[in-house]
Amino acid sequence: MSQSQSFSHQAAGAREDAQVSRLLTWLSFTATVFLLGIGLKAWYSGHMLHAWVLWSCSVLVSLNMVYFALSGNAVRQKGGLIVVVGLLFVYLIASGGESNTGPLWFYVFPPLLFFLTNLKAGTGVLLICYLVAAVVFQFPDLPFITAEYSSDFKIRFFATLTFESIFCFVLEAGRLKARNELLELVVTHEHAARTDELTGLSNRRDMQHRLVSEFSRYQRSGHHFSIVLIDLDLFKTINDDHGHDAGDAVLRQFSALVRDIIRQTDVAARWGGEEFLLLLPDTSLLQALTLAERLRAEVAEARFSFRNHCLPVTISAGVCSIAKAASIDDLLKQADLNLYNAKDAGRNRIAPRVRSRGEVRPIDSSS
């Protein structure tokens, strides 16, 4: 999985976790009110212990909500709610609740459990609950068990609960599969929307977004950056003499060469036609000129070919640092002007010109 895909998956997971947390908060609030109401009914019906247990569970659910509001820990929010519901289930099946209807409330647990956990964890917790129910049904004389259930009830309880659990498992598995497929489609669409199809580099839209982001970072923290605007010299001649397929092959080979030379933090984009733009974060003008000159030399020495025909390829480039511009538009205009000067001076060169040893260097390295 690429880094961009990983980020997309993480962002989607974060959004889903936030939605689940909001849902659980409302669910916990509803459960608190419901438990208080059922407990009040039990109290007036003379089931004092049952009322106090329900009220205690409502307090635990409320405390779980308060803890999440203070800590923001969604994992513990889920775990806390599952523990409270599990304890309530153990009490209801052991005591029978009112009129031995306590176990019926357990039908709420499987869908909630699969929603809050994954399929494997949810199945494991359900098996534990099955074991607790089997112990209660099989050993009614244990000290903590006060309920008695008929054989028909036991059979029907396990049968219907098993059916519901399998049904919830299948539904959740289908939901997760559909979610993952949709996420993959979103990632593919996002990648296609910001990638040049021919070269695999960023497209103009993506580069413009990155320029805005990098300029904002520069304004916040003062981290300088530079750009290199590149044009393939006499590219039209290649298309005219060898065909557009040859031109496409040159663009792909040049893009591969660019990827090999730039740093991992740099971004290369096809700016349009045979023009390319490099974004170089945390890079001074002198450093950008050095990289551009290295790229120019590598291109001049590289062997570009198409169907066993060697194609002569050189580049011209205009370099500019944000220190020399007041805005992104100014930065691009200055780089474009420098590119024009490089081509006007004979092509296969970089502007501003990198001075050789012995010459006075007019470029301030601090820029």
Side-chain angles (χ1 to χ4, degrees):
M1 182 184 294
S2 66
Q3 188 177 28
S4 62
Q5 288 177 323
S6 177
F7 287 155
S8 296
H9 279 75
Q10 290 175 5
R15 289 194 297 269
E16 187 175 15
D17 288 342
Q19 292 173 352
V20 171
S21 295
R22 287 194 295 270
L23 177 62
L24 285 187
T25 299
W26 283 106
L27 184 62
S28 298
F29 177 78
T30 304
T32 300
V33 174
F34 191 75
L35 288 171
L36 289 174
I38 297 297
L40 189 62
K41 175 184 176 298
W43 178 272
Y44 283 109
S45 299
H47 300 89
M48 307 301 180
L49 177 61
H50 187 56
W52 280 113
V53 170
L54 295 178
W55 288 340
S56 299
C57 288
S58 70
V59 171
L60 292 176
V61 173
S62 300
L63 290 176
N64 189 54
M65 280 196 301
V66 172
Y67 175 80
F68 173 71
L70 295 176
S71 67
N73 192 323
V75 175
R76 292 193 176 182
Q77 180 197 26
K78 295 178 184 179
L81 188 59
I82 290 174
V83 169
V84 174
V85 174
L87 291 175
L88 181 59
F89 162 70
V90 172
Y91 164 74
L92 289 175
I93 199 169
S95 66
E98 292 189 54
S99 304
N100 274 8
T101 59
L104 300 180
W105 291 104
F106 186 66
Y107 292 117
V108 179
F109 199 38
L112 177 66
L113 186 61
F114 284 124
F115 181 73
L116 295 183
T117 64
N118 53 54
L119 296 176
K120 184 177 180 180
T123 302
V125 175
L126 277 178
L127 290 176
I128 294 175
C129 293
Y130 267 81
L131 179 61
V132 171
V135 170
V136 171
F137 289 163
Q138 189 67 27
F139 304 101
D141 296 329
L142 291 175
F144 63 91
I145 300 175
T146 58
E148 293 184 6
Y149 303 100
S150 66
S151 298
D152 286 343
F153 179 87
K154 297 175 186 178
I155 294 173
R156 291 173 181 175
F157 176 77
F158 277 123
T160 53
L161 184 61
T162 300
F163 175 81
E164 186 201 18
S165 300
I166 294 174
F167 186 65
C168 291
F169 182 95
V170 172
L171 285 180
E172 183 64 13
R175 186 191 74 85
L176 291 176
K177 181 182 178 182
R179 169 193 174 276
N180 291 334
E181 290 176 351
L182 181 60
L183 185 58
E184 291 296 335
L185 287 175
V186 170
V187 171
T188 301
H189 176 73
E190 289 179 352
H191 179 74
R194 55 187 176 77
T195 303
D196 178 66
E197 184 178 2
L198 177 65
T199 63
L201 301 178
S202 294
N203 58 19
R204 189 183 185 104
R205 175 186 175 186
D206 184 55
M207 177 57 82
Q208 287 173 330
H209 175 75
R210 291 176 183 269
L211 284 170
V212 171
S213 178
E214 194 64 31
F215 185 70
S216 298
R217 192 171 79 100
Y218 163 71
Q219 290 179 313
R220 290 194 310 270
S221 56
H223 287 276
H224 285 216
F225 66 95
S226 299
I227 63 171
V228 181
L229 184 60
I230 303 167
D231 186 81
L232 273 63
D233 297 327
L234 303 175
F235 184 75
K236 185 176 182 299
T237 303
I238 296 176
N239 282 332
D240 292 342
D241 294 346
H242 302 279
H244 288 281
D245 288 344
D248 290 347
V250 168
L251 292 175
R252 285 192 292 266
Q253 293 172 44
F254 171 74
S255 301
L257 183 61
V258 169
R259 279 193 289 263
D260 289 339
I261 290 178
I262 63 175
R263 303 167 303 179
Q264 202 170 24
T265 54
D266 300 333
V267 181
R270 188 182 180 191
W271 194 239
E274 67 272 21
E275 278 193 344
F276 294 80
L277 186 67
L278 305 183
L279 171 60
L280 312 175
D282 300 311
T283 304
S284 67
L285 179 59
L286 180 59
Q287 292 169 328
L289 285 167
T290 302
L291 184 144
E293 175 59 26
R294 179 190 169 196
L295 178 61
R296 184 206 63 78
E298 291 280 354
V299 171
E301 295 176 3
R303 184 180 183 274
F304 291 81
S305 61
F306 178 73
R307 294 178 181 172
N308 298 323
H309 291 287
C310 186
L311 305 175
V313 178
T314 60
I315 63 170
S316 300
V319 183
C320 188
S321 169
I322 192 60
K324 304 294 184 181
S327 65
I328 295 176
D329 287 340
D330 289 343
L331 183 70
L332 292 170
K333 288 178 181 177
Q334 185 60 50
D336 188 58
L337 178 60
N338 289 338
L339 173 59
Y340 174 82
N341 292 335
K343 297 180 78 68
D344 190 56
R347 299 186 178 86
N348 191 24
R349 63 190 64 213
I350 307 298
R353 187 159 65 94
V354 180
R355 302 284 180 172
S356 60
R357 290 186 179 180
E359 292 182 291
V360 178
R361 187 186 303 273
I363 301 168
D364 182 6
S365 62
S366 64
S367 63

